[in-house]
Amino acid sequence: MLASDLEKFIEQDHLALDAFVKGDPEPLKALYSRRDDVIIANPFGPPAKGWEKAAATMERAATNYRDGEATGFERISEYATADLGYTIEIERFRSNVGGGDKLLPIALRVTTIFRREEGAWRIVLHHADPITSARPPASIVGE
């Protein structure tokens, strides 16, 4: 069980993700650490390390979505100490993706690491990929 202040922060994260799939990265960006070790790894490209690269990656990724909504967050695992915590979740959304005109279902396997910085929780790592079901061995072979 996570501390109530971290649970409240995770609720803010989920609300920010709802805005993100509408095309607005700003609420999500506000939750991230500004330190050099912040990392975002989303399904649209390689990991970005450092605040400037992470912010640019979020802005670019948000342009792929519009008119979306968060439809659910399935918590797989969680753990926290007084200053560090993580969740593993399946995030579910519906959104217009890549300029399409139809709301499509999206499910992402996500690991998020949170750190207390100057008395407030911040996201320091967010890794999301579309792997939410078993895949054959050939699926891991590089391009």
Side-chain angles (χ1 to χ4, degrees):
M1 184 169 194
L2 302 179
S4 63
D5 63 333
L6 180 53
E7 275 297 349
K8 287 179 184 173
F9 184 78
I10 292 169
E11 288 175 21
Q12 289 180 302
D13 178 37
H14 291 168
L15 291 172
L17 288 164
D18 184 74
F20 193 83
V21 295
K22 290 174 174 59
D24 181 3
E26 297 307 318
L28 191 59
K29 286 171 48 183
L31 302 178
Y32 273 74
S33 173
R34 300 303 195 262
R35 295 184 182 169
D36 291 342
D37 62 349
V38 66
I39 296 173
I40 184 161
N42 66 32
F44 299 110
K49 184 176 180 185
W51 170 243
E52 288 184 20
K53 290 179 182 176
T57 295
M58 283 185 269
E59 290 166 5
R60 192 170 42 257
T63 66
N64 291 303
Y65 299 112
R66 70 177 167 75
D67 303 326
E69 66 177 344
T71 58
F73 298 90
E74 176 187 345
R75 184 82 47 94
I76 307 299
S77 183
E78 63 185 28
Y79 182 78
T81 65
D83 295 316
L84 196 64
Y86 77 84
T87 58
I88 298 172
E89 297 180 316
I90 303 297
E91 296 176 348
R92 298 185 190 282
F93 308 98
R94 292 181 330 136
S95 188
N96 291 319
V97 180
D101 59 356
K102 184 177 173 184
L103 287 176
L104 299 172
I106 301 162
L108 298 172
R109 173 182 68 173
V110 177
T111 301
T112 307
I113 298 176
F114 308 93
R115 177 173 59 209
R116 193 182 300 274
E117 296 179 359
E118 300 173 13
W121 287 104
R122 295 285 175 220
I123 297 169
V124 294
L125 175 126
H126 188 83
H127 174 253
D129 64 48
I131 302 171
T132 59
S133 61
R135 293 187 172 204
S139 71
I140 68 166
V141 177
E143 301 173 77

